[in-house]
Amino acid sequence: MEVGEVVQVTDGTPRPREICRELLAALEASEGRRRRRKRDTTPDAIGLTIKRELLERAITADPEPDDFESWLHEQCLDAGGSEGGVRAMALSIFEEWRLAHDAEAFRAWLGRGAPSDDAHSDRGSPELGQPTTRTETSH
């Protein structure tokens, strides 16, 4: 299946596999923003790794749409001592899952591969008031 290809079950509800595949593609933009930050982004990287792993497992498992929330909860329980971070990312995924069903514009953006200037650029965005080049100064 290609990014942007939409496959639906008979009632028109996209499956978790589809939405999670598209959310996984959208993580590239988050990673691009994280790399450009000047602060320690280790906690961000850990969260994105947990989220990526959950999305990959959801793609593989492809639970029924009505069972997706329960499936995410099971992932939290299976995490044991790491449950806090997994729970936070599972909640994020579930919120995005619901948004993809409720907001046509968000679903369309995901369906286009979640295009973002942040996904493939180490430069800032002038539209967002960020510098377009990085300069290092020595003290």
Side-chain angles (χ1 to χ4, degrees), residues 21-126:
R21 188 174 282 130
E22 294 168 353
L23 290 171
L24 192 57
L27 277 183
E28 281 188 45
S30 295
E31 185 63 25
R33 282 188 300 273
R34 185 191 69 77
R35 283 191 303 265
R36 284 194 310 278
R37 291 184 183 131
K38 294 185 181 199
R39 64 176 174 78
D40 178 10
T41 61
T42 302
D44 299 335
I46 293 168
L48 289 174
T49 298
I50 292 169
K51 188 171 187 176
R52 182 175 291 111
E53 289 171 357
L54 277 171
L55 290 169
E56 289 171 349
R57 285 193 300 227
I59 291 166
T60 300
D62 192 27
E64 291 297 322
D66 290 341
D67 297 333
F68 189 50
E69 184 176 15
S70 296
W71 183 88
L72 285 167
H73 183 251
E74 289 173 18
Q75 304 311 299
C76 295
L77 295 176
D78 290 347
S82 304
E83 186 259 341
V86 173
R87 184 172 192 271
M89 293 300 101
L91 285 170
S92 174
I93 291 168
F94 187 68
E95 290 169 354
E96 291 168 340
W97 160 259
R98 290 180 61 190
L99 184 61
H101 287 88
D102 296 341
E104 290 181 30
F106 180 67
R107 179 73 171 120
W109 174 76
L110 285 175
R112 291 190 311 273
S116 171
D117 290 342
D118 290 330
H120 303 290
S121 172
D122 279 341
R123 296 181 178 186
S125 171

